[in-house]
Amino acid sequence: MHPAWGQVFMRKMISAGIATFLFTVIFAILEPDLFRIHNNLSLGARLHEAAGMVCIYMMYAGPVIYVYGSMTSLLSDIIAHYVAPRRWVRLTVSAVFHCVFGLILYQVSLLAAALFYLSDTIFSVVRRKPLTPNITVVSVLLPLGLWLASWIYIRITG
């Protein structure tokens, strides 16, 4: 039996918040210099650049993950639900579709799609109680808090 669509939508929004937070942090650490001007950065300089880039990456990646990621994840789950009879087969089919939809910008969007899929799958397997709108709204504060912390860091350190 498939859970109610309201619960699925709230789970997707929570997963989008988690994926946005993780993607922004990981991508900023992996690619702190967007234009690749500095090749040899020390660890401290690399983390400083990454903390500054979190704010910029969040502005662009956040809306895309929330809109495109949530819709394609929902579509992947719907397709997997109707194609696969068993739960673990559905998870595999859903993972394949997440990867296919995540190939739009190659490695960048594939990383976001993988993080979205992992957070959504872990959240759906672990969470047993019904979700509430309050939890969904609070999950939006996770990426917003990261964005605000990065913005404050940029203002303080320059």
Side-chain angles (χ1 to χ4, degrees), residues 17-32 46-47 49-58 61-62 65 111 115 142-143 145-147 149-150:
I18 295 168
T20 301
F21 179 87
L22 292 174
F23 171 78
T24 305
V25 169
I26 291 171
F27 193 67
I29 290 171
L30 292 177
E31 198 64 48
R46 187 173 188 88
L47 291 176
E49 291 292 321
M53 293 305 288
V54 163
C55 189
I56 294 168
Y57 289 155
M58 181 74 71
I65 291 173
L111 174 64
L115 290 171
L142 185 66
L146 179 65
W147 181 82
S150 174

Side-chain angles (χ1 to χ4, degrees), residues 8 22 27-28 30 34 41 47 56 59 61 65 75 77 79 83 91 97 99 113 117 129 139 151-152 157:
V8 172
L22 292 174
F27 193 67
L30 292 177
L34 189 60
L41 295 175
L47 291 176
I56 294 168
M59 286 190 308
I65 291 173
L75 183 62
D77 284 353
I79 292 170
V83 170
L91 290 174
F97 278 106
C99 290
Y117 173 75
K129 293 191 250 178
S139 71
W151 185 78
I152 289 170
T157 61

Side-chain angles (χ1 to χ4, degrees), residues 9-10 12-21 58 62-63 66 70 132-148:
F9 179 74
M10 286 189 278
K12 296 297 178 189
M13 289 297 107
I14 293 169
S15 298
I18 295 168
T20 301
F21 179 87
M58 181 74 71
Y66 268 95
S70 296
T132 63
N134 293 339
I135 295 172
T136 307
V137 170
V138 168
S139 71
V140 175
L141 296 178
L142 185 66
L144 287 177
L146 179 65
W147 181 82
L148 184 63

Side-chain angles (χ1 to χ4, degrees), residues 83-104:
V83 170
R86 295 188 177 182
R87 183 174 189 190
W88 294 108
V89 178
R90 277 194 301 246
L91 290 174
T92 305
V93 170
S94 181
V96 169
F97 278 106
H98 274 83
C99 290
V100 168
F101 287 127
L103 286 174
I104 191 166

